[in-house]
Amino acid sequence: MGIIIIILALIVLSSISLSYGYDPLDPYGNVTISWDFIDQSNPDTYDIRVSIFNMQQYRHVEVPGWKLEWTWNKSEVIWDMRGAEAVEQGDCSWFKGSGGGQLPHCCMKQPVIIDLLPGTPYNMQYSNCCKGGVLSSMNQDPSKYLSAFRMSVGNFHVNRQGSNNSFDKLNLTMPSHFNLGIPGYTCGDPFLVPPTRFPADNRRRWTQALETWNITCTYSQSQASRAPKCCVSLSAFYNTTIVNCPRCSCGCQGLGGAKCVKSGDKPPTVLQLPTSHPLVTCSQHMCPIRVHWHVKQSYKEYWRVKITITNLNFLKNYSDWNLVVQHPNLKSVTQLFSFNYHPLTPYGNINDTGMFWGIKFYNDMILTSGEQGNAQTEMLLHKDEGIFTFREGWTFPRRISFNGDECVMPLPDDYPTLPNGANIITAATFLNLSLLFFSFLFLALLAPPLF
Ligand SMILES: *[C@@H]1O[C@H](CO)[C@@H](O)[C@H](O)[C@H]1NC(C)=O
Ligand SMILES: *[C@@H]1O[C@H](CO)[C@@H](O)[C@H](O)[C@H]1NC(C)=O
Ligand SMILES: *[C@@H]1O[C@H](CO)[C@@H](O)[C@H](O)[C@H]1NC(C)=O
Ligand SMILES: *[C@@H]1O[C@H](CO)[C@@H](O)[C@H](O)[C@H]1NC(C)=O
Ligand SMILES: *[C@@H]1O[C@H](CO)[C@@H](O)[C@H](O)[C@H]1NC(C)=O
Ligand SMILES: *[C@@H]1O[C@H](CO)[C@@H](O)[C@H](O)[C@H]1NC(C)=O
Ligand SMILES: *[C@@H]1O[C@H](CO)[C@@H](O)[C@H](O)[C@H]1NC(C)=O
Ligand SMILES: *[C@@H]1O[C@H](CO)[C@@H](O)[C@H](O)[C@H]1NC(C)=O
């Protein structure tokens, strides 16, 4: 009972902390924008490099990607851009007949910049560009957590009375009001940092930016105000009960226009166009993603968990997905099958959180439910003396999130319990027998359809 109360308290605490928009599993996570004033090779323009680093442990930036916006301080215009593009050119009519006949790339006071798509012609690229605005997290793919573009910016002075459009002597200042264009992120004010250094001549020489500013953007789930997108179901070898996702975890069938497809039915083809709302298989929880945690087996010194992630969304293949799990036994992960794993230690010595993601070209994509999409892993954990117990739901996860969205857990009171009177931990013979019996029973009854 004590443990259940603690678990309940943890859940309550976590929902409180969530409402303040602070992620306890990644307390320092942020997206940093670095703004380098590089050089002024032309008297009328500055070259600026903008880099967007996803410095979060597990949350990634998905399609449709970032859409960076800022407000120019004066009347700057972007003459040229590599590795990204402004959504709108804006009104550049003042430049008619100047600048060698070519109009600037963007004359907006508040430009909105998007990344180019993969496969963009080489002469429009810039290093680390062209990923369609998608960013991996630091852990999952360190080669894809950065986006960058370069632009050439001029300041202009318009003689509104006459026909003489002349350029000011340059006096660029840092723009303000940055926005990543991704729901849930808020950016702070730019602050001056030590200038970025760039390698040259095979790293024998270093050049540096004239001035570098950083902007820190942080995510808050409550700001994103997103309904849950995933839920957790539980089972254990010692009990035939499967604890399903809580009713209405992500929506209620037939309520609020929630549409779903009955299992076995084909979704109507018209609806296969991507929409902002998922189209899910009808269920009592209506979540697009279900994570099932099955306590599968007990050995003398180890125990085994099977995790199955099921895609119940007809409209989305989840590529480069990730799963974050909090469980006190994760510090003793001994063996893991079919997933990548990285321990997360937000509080230094407390090693109870880990991140899982798929193996490239094997299960890094969970296909739509139309294709029976799921991914699964088994994990062997050491039974740490004095901590490990099958009692009171200890073997079930404390918290799970999928792609950074916290999953709805069943109530601890509903967790599968040990059969009455069974002393599964101390009585070794009984343990082995019951293990065999229950695993067999479990496999025979449930294995094919559910797992
Ligand atoms: C941004 O995140 C990184 C990585 O977690 C961290 O080291 C850094 O201190 C954070 N920056 C800010 C301003 O919080
Ligand atoms: C422009 O930048 C200067 C100096 O950084 C600042 O004092 C001024 O308030 C800024 N103006 C606007 C419109 O942001
Ligand atoms: C345009 O303006 C600049 C500075 O204001 C001036 O030096 C120049 O003579 C002008 N050119 C013409 C064609 O009026
Ligand atoms: C450029 O900046 C300097 C120093 O901040 C200031 O004295 C000057 O008036 C500025 N020039 C223009 C055209 O804004
Ligand atoms: C500024 O951002 C860059 C890129 O994320 C980072 O390497 C650097 O440490 C940051 N500087 C400060 C002072 O936060
Ligand atoms: C999901 O991936 C499969 C196989 O690559 C593809 O046939 C299907 O069109 C994709 N579905 C969506 C909704 O992207
Ligand atoms: C946390 O546990 C993992 C194994 O699960 C281990 O590889 C890692 O070194 C541990 N980290 C710390 C800080 O104890
Ligand atoms: C299985 O767990 C449920 C709670 O989810 C409990 O009500 C039931 O008694 C347990 N079954 C056995 C055989 O102990």
Side-chain angles (χ1 to χ4, degrees):
M1 199 57 203
I3 289 182
I4 292 187
I5 289 171
I6 291 170
I7 292 172
L8 209 60
L10 275 175
I11 288 171
V12 170
L13 273 176
S14 69
S15 43
I16 290 171
S17 54
L18 265 181
S19 66
Y20 284 103
Y22 158 81
D23 183 350
L25 300 184
D26 188 9
Y28 308 107
N30 63 76
V31 173
T32 298
I33 303 165
S34 246
W35 181 284
D36 297 307
F37 288 105
I38 298 183
D39 119 58
Q40 195 183 6
S41 42
N42 176 327
D44 290 335
T45 59
Y46 264 102
D47 273 356
I48 292 168
R49 187 187 76 154
V50 180
S51 320
I52 304 173
F53 295 83
N54 182 10
M55 316 253 281
Q56 299 183 99
Q57 297 288 333
Y58 57 86
R59 188 167 287 106
H60 56 208
V61 175
E62 281 186 282
V63 178
W66 53 263
K67 252 186 169 179
L68 186 62
E69 184 182 331
W70 62 76
T71 306
W72 287 117
N73 182 296
K74 297 206 170 93
S75 39
E76 290 89 343
V77 292
I78 303 169
W79 279 100
D80 185 42
M81 199 166 231
R82 292 295 141 100
E85 62 191 357
V87 175
E88 298 265 358
Q89 183 181 30
D91 181 4
C92 294
S93 57
W94 291 110
F95 292 91
K96 237 172 88 196
S98 69
Q102 192 149 18
L103 291 181
H105 178 83
C106 175
C107 302
M108 305 279 288
K109 179 81 179 163
Q110 278 170 274
V112 177
I113 311 298
I114 52 171
D115 195 5
L116 298 174
L117 296 174
T120 294
Y122 185 73
N123 63 349
M124 292 163 74
Q125 290 187 15
Y126 186 62
S127 59
N128 292 306
C129 82
C130 312
K131 296 188 277 256
V134 169
L135 293 172
S136 171
S137 63
M138 276 199 300
N139 290 324
Q140 199 161 338
D141 188 348
S143 72
K144 291 204 184 123
Y145 83 114
L146 159 66
S147 258
F149 60 90
R150 185 168 178 145
M151 59 190 170
S152 154
V153 171
N155 201 351
F156 74 94
H157 163 80
V158 180
N159 178 356
R160 283 162 199 267
Q161 257 71 51
S163 57
N164 188 346
N165 297 340
S166 62
F167 296 96
D168 255 355
K169 272 272 152 274
L170 264 178
N171 234 358
L172 283 170
T173 51
M174 189 59 200
S176 57
H177 298 97
F178 281 80
N179 185 339
L180 275 178
I182 312 164
Y185 287 87
T186 316
C187 300
D189 289 329
F191 53 98
L192 203 56
V193 300
T196 310
R197 295 164 77 237
F198 303 97
D201 187 22
N202 282 322
R203 298 187 166 259
R204 296 198 308 140
R205 170 179 152 77
W206 293 83
T207 58
Q208 73 178 52
L210 299 172
E211 210 171 274
T212 299
W213 297 72
N214 276 10
I215 298 108
T216 307
C217 309
T218 50
Y219 178 83
S220 142
Q221 188 158 349
S222 60
Q223 276 239 325
S225 71
R226 297 195 286 186
K229 287 182 170 167
C230 126
C231 64
V232 179
S233 56
L234 307 168
S235 61
F237 65 85
Y238 50 76
N239 186 321
T240 53
T241 307
I242 293 173
V243 181
N244 214 328
C245 287
R247 182 171 292 278
C248 297
S249 294
C250 302
C252 294
Q253 211 172 319
L255 260 184
K259 289 210 178 66
C260 64
V261 178
K262 294 210 167 55
S263 77
D265 286 6
K266 281 238 170 268
T269 38
V270 219
L271 283 169
Q272 277 184 323
L273 299 161
T275 63
S276 52
H277 286 288
L279 178 68
V280 299
T281 305
C282 295
S283 64
Q284 48 132 6
H285 56 78
M286 297 285 278
C287 290
I289 290 286
R290 181 186 64 212
V291 180
H292 186 81
W293 179 280
H294 176 54
V295 178
K296 189 176 178 185
Q297 231 164 330
S298 174
Y299 309 97
K300 194 151 173 281
E301 289 189 36
Y302 299 95
W303 60 294
R304 184 187 284 264
V305 175
K306 179 170 183 173
I307 304 173
T308 307
I309 307 167
T310 309
N311 180 357
L312 299 167
N313 186 354
F314 281 93
L315 300 181
K316 188 165 172 182
N317 291 325
Y318 290 84
S319 53
D320 297 318
W321 56 269
N322 67 67
L323 189 77
V324 172
V325 175
Q326 189 177 20
H327 188 284
N329 217 162
L330 281 180
K331 68 169 184 288
S332 308
V333 174
T334 308
Q335 204 178 2
L336 184 83
F337 304 89
S338 345
F339 281 7
N340 288 304
Y341 180 72
H342 183 84
L344 301 178
T345 49
Y347 305 102
N349 46 0
I350 308 173
N351 196 355
D352 66 350
T353 307
M355 168 181 174
F356 302 80
W357 69 97
I359 292 166
K360 202 103 208 122
F361 305 123
Y362 174 57
N363 57 5
D364 60 331
M365 171 126 98
I366 308 180
L367 292 177
T368 63
S369 61
E371 330 239 348
Q372 293 304 316
N374 68 58
Q376 42 188 253
T377 181
E378 290 197 8
M379 181 164 57
L380 209 56
L381 299 135
H382 184 253
K383 291 180 175 172
D384 292 336
E385 219 164 314
I387 310 170
F388 178 83
T389 172
F390 276 118
R391 302 199 166 276
E392 287 163 338
W394 190 86
T395 50
F396 297 111
R398 305 297 181 264
R399 188 201 287 264
I400 288 190
S401 66
F402 180 81
N403 278 357
D405 288 311
E406 179 128 21
C407 303
V408 180
M409 298 276 299
L411 286 176
D413 277 349
D414 298 335
Y415 286 7
T417 55
L418 284 171
N420 271 342
N423 200 343
I424 204 160
I425 300 146
T426 47
T429 17
F430 176 79
L431 173 69
N432 287 340
L433 281 176
S434 63
L435 247 174
L436 262 175
F437 174 69
F438 278 111
S439 329
F440 180 75
L441 195 68
F442 194 87
L443 278 174
L445 285 176
L446 309 159
L450 254 167
F451 310 108

